[in-house]
C-alpha cells in the first residue's frame, strides 16, 4: 500500500514512495524471468542435438486454442481489477472466475498434450534431449500457472464469502501482475517451442 | 613496519623466481621456465602483465602508506574536523582515464597471444596424438603411426628453425580432466562430448612433468603426466617398438594364461593376443614405461605385484580392482607382464 | 530532532522464562533480531568451515601425507567452499543488511517482515540440511555421504554414474532451499529501499551502505536464479532420467559450467559489494571526512554490477572456447577492473587530508585496502587468458580468491562487527583484544595466502589431497599451513571479545564514534520500533548537519 504522503517542514513537498507490493512483485518477476531464461537457453541450445527421435516437427501440435484461452485470461483479470477499482464487486467476481476457468482450461490442454506425447508418440523426459528440455520448460511454466491458479482460487473463495472489497484493489492488482507475467512467459515459450523449434 | 617488510618480501619472490628461468632445480613444473612455443608466448605476456601490475601496486601502495603515516591523528590534535572535501572532477577524471588506457593496452597484448596460440595452423609434419582422459589415467593414440599407449607421452623434440610440433586432440571417456605440463603449454581441459585441441613443440630433450588439473574424482591428485621429448632418432625408435605387437614367450605361458582367463582382459589390451579391453591402460609395452598407475609408483616388479594384489596401497580408490590372485598366480602374471617390453 | 524514545517497559523480558525468550527469538519478524540471528548463525558456520580448512591444510602440510583419506579430503574442500560462500559470508552480509538498512533510511522495519523471517529460516535450514549429509547413509566408502564434487559441482561428475548415493543431492537441495531464502531477502531489501525511506531521503541522499546493498540485492535476483535453474536441471537428470548434462546422450558438460558461472561470477560481487559498503561507512567516520566522490561511488558500483553479468566465462578460459570468445571475455574482465580500481582511489582520497583514528574498525578497513589492491591485481593477471591457461585451476587462483574473500571481505566485515557491535549490544568491545585479533589474523592471513600464490606459479593444481615431492611445493605448503593457526587464534580472540564484551563491556551510548548516519541517533541497542518519530533529512549525513549547524552538508551536495 502507498505510504501516506508526509510534508517536510522547510521544503513543502509531498513525500511519496512506490508501493511495496508492486516493487516486491517486480523483483519476484525479475528473478523468475532469470530462471526461465536459463531453461529457454537450454532449450534453444539443444535444438537439433538429440541423438535419437522423435523430433519436435514430428510430434508437436501447435496449441492455438489453449494459448488463446491463457492470453484471454490476462484480459479477464485486467477487467476484474478494473471492476474492483470501481467497487463493482459482483463484476469483479465474475471476471475473476472467468480468469480461473480460462487458466484451468489451459492446464487441461497441457495435460492432454502431454498424454498424447507420452502414450501416442513415446516422448518422455528421458527419451532424448528434446524430451528433457521440452517437458522441463513447459512443465516449469505449467507449475507457475498452477501456483497462480491456487492464489486466484483463494481470492475467489474470499470473494464468494464477501471479504473482497474496493480497498483490496492494490493487492489484487499485484496478484494480477504475477498472472500477466505468467502469460508473458507463455508467449516466449510458445514462440521458442512451437514456432522456432519446430 | 612489519607490513612493509612483508610486502617487499612478497614482491621480491616472483622476481626471484623469474630471475632464475634456467634454474629448473627450483621446480620441474615452473611456469616461468618454458621450453615450448605456447609456454614461451605465455611467459612473455606474463612478464608484461606482471610489470604493469607491479607498477600499479607500487603507486597505489605508496599512496596508501603516505595516507596512513601523514594523516593519522596526532596526539596533540585539537579535535576539530578537517576540511570536508566531497570530490574533484579533474582528479576523478584522471583516475578513470588512466586505468582505462592501461586496460586497453593489456587487452591488446593479450588478444595477440590468444590468437598466436589458438589460431596456430597445424603444419604437415606435425605429430598427431589423440589424448583421452580417463578416471584416473591418460590414453594416447597416434593415429598416423599405429601406436596406442598410456600415461607416458613421447614427442619429438622440435628444432626452432625447422619445427616439428605435436598437436593433440583432447577427448574424455568419463568426467572432465585437464592436461597441464607447465613447461610445455598452458592447460587445456578434456571434456566428454567436447573435443579440444592443443599443441606443443619442446625445444630441449628431457622429461617434462605435470598432472591433471581439473577435479575428476577421488584420485584426481595422482593422475600424473609425464611427457618425454625425444631426439628424432629416439622418437623413431620408440614409435617402431610401440607399433609392434607383443612377443609371446613360452617361459611365461602360465602367466599369460592366467592373465587371459581372469578378468584382466576385460579392461586391458595386449596387441597380438586375445586381450582387447579398453577400460584400462594398454599393456602391450608396459615395461617401456618408467612408472605405473599414471605416475603414482615406479615401474618395478615389486610395485607391479603390489598394484595387482592391492591397488589401494598405491592409489586408493583408483578403478583398478584387487585381483584376488594367489601368491603363485601373482608371480606368474608379474613374470608375464615383465616380458611386455 | 532529538534522541528521545518512548520508554517501553522491557524489564519483564529479562525475568521471563527461557522458553518464552527462545520462542520470541524463533518467531521474531523484527529486522534487528533477524539480523543478529543471521550473524550468529554465520559465525558458527565460520568456525565449522574453518575446521574443515584446518583439516585440509594439515593433510597438505607435507607430500604424501596420510592425515585423511582422499575421500574425506574431497568432501572437506567441497563442504568448506560451499559452507563459506552460502552459509557464512552470505548470511553474515544479509544479517548486517537486515540490521542496518532500515535504521539507516529511517524506517521502522523491512518492507516484508514475515518474508524476512521466512528467508532466514530457509537459509538456516539449508545449512543444517547440508551438514546432515555427514550423518546420512554410510555411502560407498564408509566416510559419510557429504558431497565431494567441489563447490561448483561440474557435470558429468555430478551425474548418477559418477556420484553414487545422495551426497550430490544434499548439495543441490540445500542450496536450492537457501537460494530461495536469498532471493526473498533480496526482494525485501529492494522493496525496503524503494518504498520506505524517510522524508527527504531521496535515492541521492541515501547512505552508501543502502545503495550498495540495493545493488547487491539486484545481483542476487539476477544471479542466484540461474543457479536454481541449473540445480533443477541437475535434479531432473539425476532423478527423472533427463539429459541436460548427459554427454552420452549428446548433452553438454560445458553448458553446466556456463550456467554455474553466470551465477558464480555475479555471486562474488554479491559478496564483495556489501564489503565495499562497510568500508564506505567506516573509512569516512574514522578519517573524519565525508566520502570522496559519492556520485561516482554509486555509478561505479552500478557499472560493476552491470559488467559483472558479462564476464563469467573468465572462469572457463581452459575449457576450449574459440579465440574470439576467449578474447571477448578478456575484454569484459579488463573493463570491470576500471570501476573497481576507481573505488580504491576514492577511499584513499577520503583518507587524504583527514585525521585518521586507527581504532580496530579502521585497522581492518586499512588492511582491506591493501589486500583488495593486491587481490585486484592478481585478478587482472588471471583475466589475461593465456596467463590463465597456467594459473587457472591452480593454487594461484585459490590464493587470489581467498585474498578477495578473506583479505577483502572478511577483513571489512570484521571492521563492521567492531563498528556496529556497540550499536547492536549497547556495550563497547575491548579495544586491546580487538587489536590483538587484528594482528594475529593479519600475520596468519599473510603467511597463508601470500605464500599460497607460489605453488600455483610452480605448477600445483587445486583440489588435490596430496602432492609429489620434488616439485618445489613442500616448504611453501608448510608455511601456508602454519598461517592457519594464527588465523584460528585470531578468530578465537574475536569471538571471545564479543562474548565477554556483551556481558561485561562498558556502556557504549548511542554514538560512540561521533558518526553521521541515522542509526547513531537512537539508543544502543535501538528500541524495537527504531524511531519514535520518523526522521526527516536534508543531506547524506543528517547527524553532521545536526552537529555542525553552521556548516551543513546540504549546502554542498
Amino acid at each position: 500500500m502507498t505510504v501516506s504522503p508526509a510534508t517536510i517542514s522547510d521544503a513543502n513537498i509531498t513525500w511519496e514512495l512506490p508501493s511495496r507490493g508492486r516493487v516486491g512483485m517486480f523483483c519476484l518477476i525479475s528473478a523468475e524471468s532469470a530462471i526461465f531464461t536459463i531453461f529457454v537457453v537450454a532449450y534453444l541450445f539443444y535444438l537439433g542435438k538429440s541423438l535419437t527421435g522423435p523430433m519436435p516437427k514430428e510430434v508437436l501440435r501447435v496449441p492455438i486454442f489453449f494459448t488463446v484461452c491463457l492470453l484471454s485470461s490476462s484480459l479477464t483479470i485486467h477487467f476484474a481489477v478494473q471492476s474492483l477499482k470501481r467497487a463493482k464487486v459482483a463484476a469483479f467476481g465474475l471476471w475473476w472466475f472467468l480468469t480461473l476457468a480460462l487458466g484451468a482450461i489451459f492446464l487441461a490442454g497441457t495435460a492432454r498434450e502431454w498424454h498424447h506425447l507420452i502414450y501416442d508418440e513415446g516422448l518422455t523426459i528421458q527419451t532424448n534431449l528434446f524430451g528433457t528440455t521440452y517437458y522441463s520448460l513447459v512443465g516449469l511454466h505449467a507449475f507457475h500457472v498452477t501456483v497462480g491458479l491456487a492464489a486466484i482460487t483463494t481470492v475467489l473463495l474470499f470473494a464468494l464469502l464477501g471479504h473482497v472489497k474496493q480497498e483490496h484493489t492494490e493487492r489484487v492488482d499485484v496478484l494480477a501482475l504475477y498472472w500477466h507475467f505468467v502469460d508473458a512467459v507463455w508467449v516466449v515459450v510458445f514462440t521458442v517451442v512451437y514456432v522456432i523449434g519446430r | 613496519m612489519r607490513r612493509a617488510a612483508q610486502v617487499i618480501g612478497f614482491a621480491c619472490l616472483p622476481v626471484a623466481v623469474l630471475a632464475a628461468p634456467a634454474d629448473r632445480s627450483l621446480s620441474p613444473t615452473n611456469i616461468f621456465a618454458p621450453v615450448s612455443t605456447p609456454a614461451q608466448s605465455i611467459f612473455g605476456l606474463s612478464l608484461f602483465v606482471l610489470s604493469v601490475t607491479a607498477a600499479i601496486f607500487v603507486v597505489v601502495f605508496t599512496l596508501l602508506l603516505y595516507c596512513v603515516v601523514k594523516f593519522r591523528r596526532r596526539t596533540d590534535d585539537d579535535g576539530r574536523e578537517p576540511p570536508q572535501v566531497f570530490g574533484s572532477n579533474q582528479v576523478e577524471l584522471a583516475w578513470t582515464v588512466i586505468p582505462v588506457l592501461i586496460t586497453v593496452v593489456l587487452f591488446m597484448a593479450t588478444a595477440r597471444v590468444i590468437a598466436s596460440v589458438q589460431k596456430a595452423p597445424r603444419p604437415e609434419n606435425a605429430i598427431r596424438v589423440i589424448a583421452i582422459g580417463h578416471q584416473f589415467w591418460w590414453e594416447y593414440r597416434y593415429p598416423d603411426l599405429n601406436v596406442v599407449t598410456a600415461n607416458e607421452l613421447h614427442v619429438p623434440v622440435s628444432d626452432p628453425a625447422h619445427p616439428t610440433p605435436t598437436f593433440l586432440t583432447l577427448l574424455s571417456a568419463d568426467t572432465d580432466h585437464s592436461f597441464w605440463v607447465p613447461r610445455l603449454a598452458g592447460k587445456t581441459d578434456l571434456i566428454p562430448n567436447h573435443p579440444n585441441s592443443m599443441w606443443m613443440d619442446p625445444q630441449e630433450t628431457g622429461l617434462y612433468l605435470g598432472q591433471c588439473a581439473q577435479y575428476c574424482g577421488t584420485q584426481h591428485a595422482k593422475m600424473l603426466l609425464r611427457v618425454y621429448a625425444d631426439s628424432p632418432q629416439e622418437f623413431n625408435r620408440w614409435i617402431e617398438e610401440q607399433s609392434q605387437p607383443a612377443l609371446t614367450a613360452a617361459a611365461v605361458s602360465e602367466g599369460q594364461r592366467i592373465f587371459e582367463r581372469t578378468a584382466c582382459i576385460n579392461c586391458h589390451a595386449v596387441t597380438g593376443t586375445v586381450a582387447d579391453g579398453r577400460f584400462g591402460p594398454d599393456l602391450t609395452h608396459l615395461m617401456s614405461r618408467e612408472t605405473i598407475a599414471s605416475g603414482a609408483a615406479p615401474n618395478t616388479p615389486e610395485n607391479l605385484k603390489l598394484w595387482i594384489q592391492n591397488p589401494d596401497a598405491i592409489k586408493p580408490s583408483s578403478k583398478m580392482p584387487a585381483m584376488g590372485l594367489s601368491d603363485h598366480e601373482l608371480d606368474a602374471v608379474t613374470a608375464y607382464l615383465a616380458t611386455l617390453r | 530532532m532529538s534522541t528521545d524514545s518512548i520508554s517501553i517497559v522491557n524489564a519483564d523480558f529479562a525475568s521471563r522464562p527461557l522458553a518464552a525468550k527462545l520462542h520470541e527469538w524463533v518467531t521474531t519478524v523484527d529486522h534487528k533480531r533477524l539480523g543478529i540471528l543471521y550473524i550468529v548463525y554465520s559465525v558458527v558456520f565460520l568456525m565449522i568451515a574453518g575446521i574443515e580448512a584446518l583439516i585440509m591444510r594439515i593433510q597438505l602440510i607435507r607430500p604424501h601425507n596420510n592425515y585423511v583419506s582422499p575421500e574425506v579430503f574431497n568432501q572437506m574442500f567441497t563442504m568448506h567452499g560451499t559452507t563459506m560462500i552460502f552459509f557464512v559470508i552470505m548470511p553474515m552480509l544479509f544479517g548486517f543488511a537486515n540490521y542496518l538498512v532500515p535504521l539507516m533510511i529511517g524506517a521502522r522495519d523491512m518492507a516484508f517482515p514475515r518474508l524476512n523471517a521466512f528467508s532466514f529460516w530457509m537459509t538456516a535450514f539449508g545449512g543444517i540440511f547440508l551438514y546432515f549429509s555427514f550423518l546420512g547413509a554410510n555411502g560407498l566408502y564408509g566416510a559419510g555421504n557429504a558431497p565431494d564434487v567441489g563447490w561448483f559441482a561440474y557435470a558429468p561428475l555430478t551425474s548418477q554414474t559418477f556420484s553414487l548415493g545422495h551426497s550430490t543431492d544434499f548439495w543441490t537441495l540445500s542450496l536450492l532451499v537457501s537460494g530461495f531464502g536469498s532471493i526473498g531477502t533480496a526482494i525485501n531489501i529492494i522493496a525496503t529501499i524503494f518504498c520506505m525511506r524517510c522524508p527527504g531521503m531521496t535515492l541521492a541522499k541515501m547512505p552508501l551502505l543502502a545503495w550498495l546493498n540495493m545493488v547487491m540485492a539486484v545481483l542476487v535476483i539476477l544471479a542466484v536464479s540461474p543457479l536454481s535453474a541449473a540445480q533443477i536441471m541437475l535434479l531432473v537428470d539425476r532423478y527423472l532420467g533427463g539429459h541436460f548434462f548427459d554427454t552420452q546422450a549428446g548433452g553438454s558438460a560445458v553448458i553446466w559450467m556456463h550456467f554455474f558461472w553466470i551465477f558464480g561470477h555475479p555471486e562474488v560481487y554479491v559478496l564483495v559489494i556489501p564489503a565495499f559498503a562497510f568500508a564506505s561507512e567506516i573509512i569516512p567516520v574514522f578519517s573524519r571526512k565525508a566520502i570522496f566522490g559519492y556520485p561516482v561511488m554509486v555509478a561505479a558500483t552500478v557499472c560493476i554490477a552491470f559488467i559483472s553479468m558479462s564476464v563469467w566465462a573468465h572462469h572457463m578460459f581452459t575449457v576450449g572456447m574459440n579465440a574470439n570468445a576467449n578474447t571477448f571475455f578478456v575484454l569484459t574482465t579488463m573493463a570491470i577492473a576500471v570501476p573497481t580500481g576507481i573505488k580504491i582511489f576514492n577511499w584513499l582520497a577520503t583518507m587524504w587530508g583527514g585525521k585518521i583514528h586507527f581504532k580496530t574498525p579502521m585497522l581492518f578497513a586499512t588492511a582491506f585496502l591493501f589486500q583488495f589492491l593486491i587481490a585486484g591485481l592478481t585478478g587482472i593477471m588471471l583475466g589475461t587468458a593465456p596467463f590463465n591457461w597456467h594459473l587457472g585451476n591452480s593454487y594461484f587462483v585459490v590464493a587470489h580468491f581467498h585474498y578477495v574473500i578473506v583479505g577483502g571481505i572478511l577483513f571489512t566485515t570484521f571492521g563492521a562487527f567492531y563498528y556496529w557491535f556497540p550499536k547492536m549490544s549497547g556495550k563497547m568491545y575491548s579495544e586491546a583484544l580487538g587489536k590483538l585479533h587484528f594482528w594475529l589474523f593479519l600475520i596468519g592471513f599473510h603467511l597463508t595466502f601470500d605464500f599460497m600464490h607460489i605453488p600455483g606459479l610452480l605448477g600445483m593444481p587445486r583440489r588435490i589431497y596430496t602432492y609429489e615431492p620434488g616439485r618445489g611445493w613442500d616448504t611453501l605448503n608448510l608455511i601456508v599451513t602454519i598461517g592457519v593457526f594464527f588465523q584460528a587464534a585470531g578468530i578465537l580472540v574475536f569471538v571471545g571479545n564479543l562474548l565477554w564484551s556483551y556481558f561485561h563491556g562498558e556502556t557504549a551510548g548511542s554514538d560512540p564514534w561521533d558518526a553521521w548516519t541515522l542509526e547513531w541517533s537512537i539508543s544502543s541497542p535501538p528500541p524495537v520500533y527504531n524511531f519514535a518519530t520518523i526522521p526527516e533529512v536534508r543531506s547524506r549525513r543528517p547527524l553532521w548537519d545536526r552537529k555542525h549547524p553552521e556548516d551543513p552538508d546540504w549546502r554542498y551536495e
Side-chain angles (χ1 to χ4, degrees), chain C residues 333-349:
Chain C
T333 306
M334 291 292 141
I336 206 170
V338 175
T340 318
I342 286 175
K343 295 174 83 77
I344 298 186
F345 298 139
N346 278 65
W347 288 312
L348 283 178

Side-chain angles (χ1 to χ4, degrees), chain C residues 451-472:
Chain C
F451 287 91
M452 193 186 273
H453 289 86
I454 306 175
L457 296 171
L458 297 182
M460 184 175 179
R462 57 190 287 201
R463 304 178 155 184
I464 52 177
Y465 75 95
T466 190
Y467 52 93
E468 302 302 298
R471 300 218 175 170

Side-chain angles (χ1 to χ4, degrees), chain A residues 173-185:
Chain A
D173 195 25
V174 166
L175 179 53
L177 207 53
Y178 173 80
W179 190 250
H180 291 309
F181 161 70
V182 166
D183 286 1
V185 170

Side-chain angles (χ1 to χ4, degrees), chain C residues 244-522:
Chain C
F244 280 107
F245 311 114
D246 177 4
T247 50
Q248 298 291 324
S252 165
V254 177
I255 208 177
W256 169 270
M257 298 182 192
H258 280 294
F259 291 159
F260 184 84
W261 289 114
I262 285 175
F263 151 77
H265 194 84
E267 168 69 8
V268 312
Y269 288 98
V270 165
L271 302 179
V272 88
I273 287 176
F276 291 164
F278 298 146
S280 304
E281 297 298 328
I282 293 173
I283 292 177
V285 166
F286 287 87
S287 308
R288 307 311 302 162
K289 283 180 64 214
I291 189 81
F292 187 92
Y294 173 102
V296 169
M297 288 296 259
V298 173
T301 311
V302 173
C303 274
I304 289 174
F306 198 65
I307 305 177
S308 79
M309 304 293 302
S310 70
V311 304
W312 77 87
H314 68 216
H315 301 269
M316 297 163 58
F317 278 141
T318 59
V319 150
M321 297 186 299
N322 63 43
N324 294 337
N326 280 335
T327 308
F328 170 77
F329 285 102
V330 172
L331 181 62
T332 52
T333 306
M334 291 292 141
I336 206 170
V338 175
T340 318
I342 286 175
K343 295 174 83 77
I344 298 186
F345 298 139
N346 278 65
W347 288 312
L348 283 178
T350 306
M351 293 165 73
W352 190 279
K355 291 187 181 180
I356 309 175
H357 300 233
F358 279 105
K359 292 281 198 285
T360 308
M362 190 58 182
L363 287 175
F364 278 104
T366 310
F368 152 77
L369 286 175
F370 171 64
Q371 283 147 196
F372 189 70
L373 168 67
I374 295 179
L377 295 176
T378 57
I380 290 181
M381 293 179 212
L382 285 163
T384 55
F387 206 2
N388 192 294
W389 295 335
H390 276 316
L391 303 174
N393 252 337
S394 77
Y395 262 87
F396 192 89
V397 174
V398 181
H400 160 77
F401 69 69
H402 281 93
Y403 234 86
V404 181
I405 299 183
V406 183
I409 297 171
L410 195 58
F411 267 70
T412 33
T413 309
F414 283 144
F417 265 100
Y418 288 108
Y419 183 57
W420 278 293
F421 176 82
K423 175 57 56 182
M424 294 182 185
S425 68
K427 306 285 181 61
M428 273 312 277
Y429 60 87
S430 153
E431 186 64 37
L433 284 181
K435 291 200 158 88
L436 178 63
H437 165 209
F438 173 73
W439 288 108
L440 277 174
F441 201 79
L442 187 79
I443 294 170
F445 170 80
H446 283 280
L447 270 178
T448 297
F449 296 111
D450 290 6
F451 287 91
M452 193 186 273
H453 289 86
I454 306 175
L457 296 171
L458 297 182
M460 184 175 179
R462 57 190 287 201
R463 304 178 155 184
I464 52 177
Y465 75 95
T466 190
Y467 52 93
E468 302 302 298
R471 300 218 175 170
W473 304 341
D474 310 11
T475 316
L476 294 164
N477 271 291
L478 173 64
I479 299 175
V480 167
T481 299
I482 290 174
V484 174
F485 290 98
F486 283 87
Q487 291 176 67
I491 301 268
L492 290 174
V493 170
F494 165 66
V495 174
N497 191 358
L498 293 186
L499 279 175
W500 186 89
S501 305
Y502 179 76
F503 292 105
H504 303 296
E506 284 180 23
T507 312
S510 59
D511 186 11
W513 306 120
D514 195 4
W516 304 309
T517 39
L518 284 174
E519 76 270 27
W520 305 107
S521 71
I522 51 183

Side-chain angles (χ1 to χ4, degrees), chain B residues 21-22 24 27-31 33-36 39-40 181-185 204 207-209, chain C residues 390:
Chain B
R24 282 173 228 113
S27 169
T29 47
N30 182 355
I31 69 172
V35 296
S36 159
Q40 284 154 348
V181 180
R183 297 190 67 201
L184 297 182
E204 293 169 29
L207 166 62
Y208 299 102
L209 300 179
Chain C
H390 276 316

Side-chain angles (χ1 to χ4, degrees), chain B residues 7 27 29 31 71 73 77-78 80-81 84 86 92 118 176 180 182 187 189 193 196 213 215 219 317, chain C residues 71 148 155 251 288 290 293 296 318-319 321 326 355-357 370 389-390 392-393 457-458 465 471 541:
Chain B
V7 158
S27 169
T29 47
I31 69 172
F71 298 112
R73 185 177 66 107
D77 176 59
D78 61 5
R80 282 191 315 187
E81 307 286 27
Q84 300 293 302
F86 295 90
E92 299 195 59
Q118 289 198 269
D176 303 334
W180 191 29
K187 65 177 69 68
D189 293 355
N193 201 26
N196 279 336
Y215 179 61
Q219 271 301 341
S317 302
Chain C
E71 289 83 2
D148 62 352
R288 307 311 302 162
V296 169
T318 59
V319 150
M321 297 186 299
N326 280 335
K355 291 187 181 180
I356 309 175
H357 300 233
F370 171 64
W389 295 335
H390 276 316
N393 252 337
L457 296 171
L458 297 182
Y465 75 95
R471 300 218 175 170
R541 298 191 296 172

Side-chain angles (χ1 to χ4, degrees), chain C residues 159-173:
Chain C
S159 66
Q160 289 273 19
T161 321
F162 299 110
S163 279
L164 304 144
H166 293 300
S167 54
T168 303
D169 302 315
F170 278 104
W171 180 87
T172 313
L173 290 168

